[in-house]
Amino acid sequence: MLHAQRKKDKVVIIGSGWGGYTLLKNIDRKKYDVAVISPSNHFLFTPLLPSTTVGTLEFRCIQEPIRTVPNLKEYFQGKVSKIDFEKKIVTSDNIFKKEKSNDIPYDHLVIACGTKTNTFNTPGIADREGIEVHFLKHLFHARRIRNRILECFERAAMEQPGSKERSYLLSFVVVGGGPTSVEFVGELHDFLFTDIATWYPDLTKEVKISIIEASDHILGSFDKSLSGYVRRVLESRKITVMTSIAVKAFDHNTHSVTLSDGSSYPAGTIVWSAGLQPVKLVSETLSHLEKGPGGRLVVDECLRIKGVSSVYALGDCAVSLTAPLPPIAQAAKQQGKHLAQCFNMNQTDVSIVVSPFQYVALGSMVTWGGFKGAVDMHNVGKNKKEIDLGVFSGVIAYFTWRSAYWGMQTSWTNKILIPMHWFKSFVFGRDISRF
Ligand SMILES: Cc1cc2nc3c(=O)[nH]c(=O)nc-3n(C[C@H](O)[C@H](O)[C@H](O)COP(=O)(O)OP(=O)(O)OC[C@H]3O[C@@H](n4cnc5c(N)ncnc54)[C@H](O)[C@@H]3O)c2cc1C
């Protein structure tokens, strides 16, 4: 006898980053109809993004296209602008045609829309974004930074030695002293003093690289001893590290930043990596929902949003008030995997039973160029049961960093391409063309 096939529940995932993509990869797509809505049609492996700003790695080898995930039911390249929790409908605005939108019904909704860069309304920063000022969050940001660096060298090469133009064009300012900034500065330094030094020998002598951090030390999330050590290493490479000082404004007419002590500092290129803030979907569309520190959506220990049925949030856009986690990839990834496992275990179509999420800290890693890095294993393990395995740094830590990120690649294409690009940039140098 033929049985009518039960309609599958539809899971809609907002966002294709660490949280959304991990959920998508792990959920049983034969059991659920899964739809993804995201303005990025790919997953970006963010820890390797700084390496693409100078060509140590090429852009395409650190991303995975969403549509290539087998059995994905639907993908919408759009931004969610409205959610009707009563009718269970999400509205996605087409990124190509502003006036067009799609209404997508859901049975279960997962919000994993991440955060955006916070400029703290600093005058001159948002206005000059994409020209002298650059964020470092998406692949297109990395591509712009790479072009800007090369543009500065080509333009400086046509200016008189010691001229004001040459001075600002060769001044690179990184705002924020977190791991992303330190890794970017390490990559930039390696690029300038290996590849650029070969092709523009006169210019590298005039290069200035600076990190400006508002708190009293860089690498705030790492062990304090490491912060001091990395600062000394960077300073030994003639990189200026300024702490307890903030950037108050950028003036593109004078090509300088104004600092909180009133002084000004030349800046031809600014990489702004100083803070995060909620995306419009969270801060405006979902303004009626409860928010925690950093304006993140409050979720319970099972990643559910209170007061609305079958809606979950994870990753950087969400926070549990009882067990808050920092906005890092490993938290978003573990949450995505946990939710997928809960969905997969579900036996009925009545309601999904989600068990409480428990985070397991796996340590943190950072690199600062020159084939050096550190692995901080101070607090590893399950929440409140962490153990201290200390910190190790140097070349071994650097290769641990590389091996770990290589191992985390989800496609064989990138597992092959990444070491090829590492080999190519080490043996033949990084590419210096601009297009
Ligand atoms: C350069 C860089 C380096 C990093 N290095 C590390 C590291 O080494 N280790 C680590 O643990 N963490 C690192 N992080 C942090 C890590 O990337 C984030 O914590 C992680 O990406 C958070 O995952 P998520 O899924 O919450 O958000 P994201 O990965 O930011 O993904 C959010 C997704 O939502 C989409 N989206 C946004 N708005 C909408 C909307 N309205 N509608 C639909 N979709 C929307 C976005 O396009 C994106 O696809 C790094 C971050 C950066 C930028």
Side-chain angles (χ1 to χ4, degrees):
M1 197 170 79
L2 280 175
H3 292 277
Q5 228 186 357
R6 178 174 71 78
K7 185 185 149 289
K8 289 192 235 172
D9 272 12
K10 182 166 183 178
V11 178
V12 172
I13 305 172
I14 303 177
S16 55
W18 277 96
Y21 184 70
T22 310
L23 170 63
L24 169 66
K25 288 283 281 184
N26 288 280
I27 195 166
D28 185 343
R29 295 179 299 278
K30 292 203 174 113
K31 199 166 177 182
Y32 295 95
D33 282 341
V34 183
V36 175
I37 308 166
S38 175
S40 325
N41 70 353
H42 55 269
F43 159 70
L44 171 62
F45 194 91
T46 49
L48 294 178
L49 191 60
S51 303
T52 62
T53 59
V54 296
T56 309
L57 287 175
E58 286 302 331
F59 306 115
R60 285 186 186 272
C61 74
I62 64 159
Q63 58 79 40
E64 300 287 350
I66 292 299
R67 282 190 182 272
T68 59
V69 174
N71 300 319
L72 169 67
K73 182 83 178 166
E74 288 169 302
Y75 167 69
F76 298 88
Q77 188 157 20
K79 271 193 174 189
V80 171
S81 59
K82 205 170 128 199
I83 305 175
D84 187 331
F85 293 119
E86 291 289 311
K87 293 189 181 140
K88 291 195 163 188
I89 291 176
V90 179
T91 304
S92 163
D93 290 349
N94 186 322
I95 64 158
F96 306 105
K97 282 188 173 178
K98 289 268 178 282
E99 70 285 1
K100 279 207 90 169
S101 60
N102 296 81
D103 285 342
I104 304 140
Y106 67 83
D107 295 301
H108 311 281
L109 177 67
V110 182
I111 306 173
C113 59
T115 51
K116 62 177 183 176
T117 305
N118 195 349
T119 65
F120 305 101
N121 293 325
T122 307
I125 296 301
D127 327 335
R128 303 299 291 177
E129 204 259 309
I131 310 168
E132 296 92 353
V133 180
H134 298 275
F135 301 155
L136 186 50
K137 210 149 171 31
H138 299 287
L139 273 174
F140 65 86
H141 291 146
R143 203 180 55 224
R144 282 186 191 159
I145 292 174
R146 192 156 157 193
N147 271 334
R148 174 69 187 170
I149 296 168
L150 295 164
E151 174 193 332
C152 286
F153 277 92
E154 291 303 354
R155 287 175 58 184
M158 293 184 275
E159 300 292 346
Q160 288 301 315
S163 66
K164 200 168 158 265
E165 285 75 15
R166 209 149 131 154
S167 155
Y168 78 73
L169 283 167
L170 298 179
S171 179
F172 299 90
V173 171
V174 180
V175 185
T180 300
S181 300
V182 169
E183 290 190 349
F184 169 70
V185 159
E187 290 282 355
L188 180 65
H189 183 272
D190 285 358
F191 178 49
L192 300 187
F193 292 94
T194 51
D195 306 284
I196 290 281
T198 311
W199 311 113
Y200 307 81
D202 298 341
L203 297 184
T204 29
K205 291 178 212 134
E206 293 174 50
V207 166
K208 276 199 207 112
I209 307 177
S210 329
I211 289 194
I212 304 177
E213 162 60 40
S215 78
D216 63 358
H217 63 289
I218 58 168
L219 290 179
S221 55
F222 283 76
D223 186 68
K224 224 168 174 177
S225 63
L226 190 68
S227 154
Y229 171 69
V230 175
R231 181 179 186 141
R232 288 191 295 280
V233 173
L234 295 182
E235 286 174 340
S236 73
R237 295 179 187 161
K238 310 237 172 338
I239 295 169
T240 309
V241 181
M242 296 182 229
T243 47
S244 306
I245 199 152
V247 170
K248 288 292 169 195
F250 169 63
D251 184 343
H252 70 276
N253 295 308
T254 57
H255 309 282
S256 61
V257 285
T258 306
L259 303 179
S260 47
D261 63 359
S263 62
S264 64
Y265 196 82
T269 303
I270 299 172
V271 174
W272 186 275
S273 182
L276 301 172
Q277 62 174 322
V279 297
K280 203 169 152 192
L281 171 63
V282 172
S283 60
E284 293 181 23
T285 314
L286 302 178
S287 59
H288 56 292
L289 297 180
E290 188 186 351
K291 303 290 161 43
R296 296 164 82 184
L297 291 164
V298 171
V299 288
D300 66 10
E301 71 288 359
C302 302
L303 309 172
R304 292 174 299 213
I305 294 187
K306 278 186 253 166
V308 281
S309 113
S310 298
V311 182
Y312 305 84
L314 49 85
D316 288 8
C317 71
V319 69
S320 148
L321 297 180
T322 48
L325 291 172
I328 52 173
Q330 55 175 301
K333 185 179 171 185
Q334 288 181 31
Q335 289 174 332
K337 197 163 185 180
H338 174 77
L339 208 52
Q341 282 165 351
C342 295
F343 273 77
N344 294 348
M345 278 193 300
N346 177 55
Q347 297 300 317
T348 69
D349 59 356
V350 180
S351 64
I352 303 285
V353 179
V354 177
S355 56
F357 168 72
Q358 231 191 348
Y359 176 64
V360 182
L362 301 170
S364 6
M365 299 187 283
V366 65
T367 61
W368 49 86
F371 293 97
K372 300 279 167 55
V375 178
D376 185 342
M377 308 271 282
H378 258 102
N379 297 305
V380 290
K382 280 192 180 163
N383 193 18
K384 299 197 179 96
K385 285 187 199 150
E386 290 107 345
I387 49 168
D388 185 349
L389 296 178
V391 179
F392 67 100
S393 60
V395 179
I396 294 178
Y398 182 81
F399 283 100
T400 306
W401 176 89
R402 276 199 169 183
S403 317
Y405 288 152
W406 178 81
M408 284 162 75
Q409 298 308 312
T410 55
S411 72
W412 277 105
T413 315
N414 288 346
K415 280 198 170 167
I416 293 167
L417 284 177
I418 288 174
M420 277 170 60
H421 286 299
W422 278 333
F423 176 79
K424 185 256 165 197
S425 52
F426 177 67
V427 177
F428 302 107
R430 299 166 184 86
D431 181 29
I432 55 156
S433 35
R434 206 184 140 247
F435 47 86

